[in-house]
Amino acid sequence: MTHDDARITTDIRALLDARAPDASICPSDVARRLYPEDAWRDAMPDVRRVACVLAGDGVICITQSDVVLDPEAPISGPIRLRRGPRWSNGA
């Protein structure tokens, strides 16, 4: 895990912690908080990649229109991130 991956992971967790247990976030919420101005757009592939790792571990779920996506399959279009079955606060 790179330093940026750790920052992305921490921010995904922080944003989800700040919301209701059944709420979701947009990956762009993470990118906009971590990267200035227009640089957040360039960070989106990294945010999505880290989200897929977390989803593969069951920490979060990646959804599209309330359908849980397979993090190992190609994902395109708008997605949301939610707490997964292995979510635990502070882990």
Side-chain angles (χ1 to χ4, degrees):
M1 180 181 290
T2 70
H3 174 70
D4 281 346
D5 289 359
R7 286 180 55 208
I8 292 167
T9 298
T10 298
D11 213 53
I12 288 171
R13 294 188 63 82
L15 285 169
L16 286 172
D17 271 337
R19 289 178 171 71
D22 61 343
S24 67
I25 61 171
C26 180
S28 68
D29 296 337
V30 177
R32 288 174 195 265
R33 279 179 39 135
L34 293 175
Y35 301 94
E37 300 178 22
D38 288 335
W40 70 267
R41 292 181 192 279
D42 294 335
M44 286 299 294
D46 289 335
V47 172
R48 283 176 168 246
R49 179 181 48 75
V50 170
C52 285
V53 171
L54 292 172
D57 291 342
V59 175
I60 66 170
C61 293
I62 300 172
T63 62
Q64 194 170 55
S65 301
D66 291 326
V67 173
V68 176
L69 302 178
D70 178 352
E72 296 194 23
I75 297 174
S76 63
I79 59 171
R80 303 288 294 179
L81 309 179
R82 300 180 186 276
R83 295 177 187 191
R86 292 192 171 160
W87 178 268
S88 65
N89 293 338

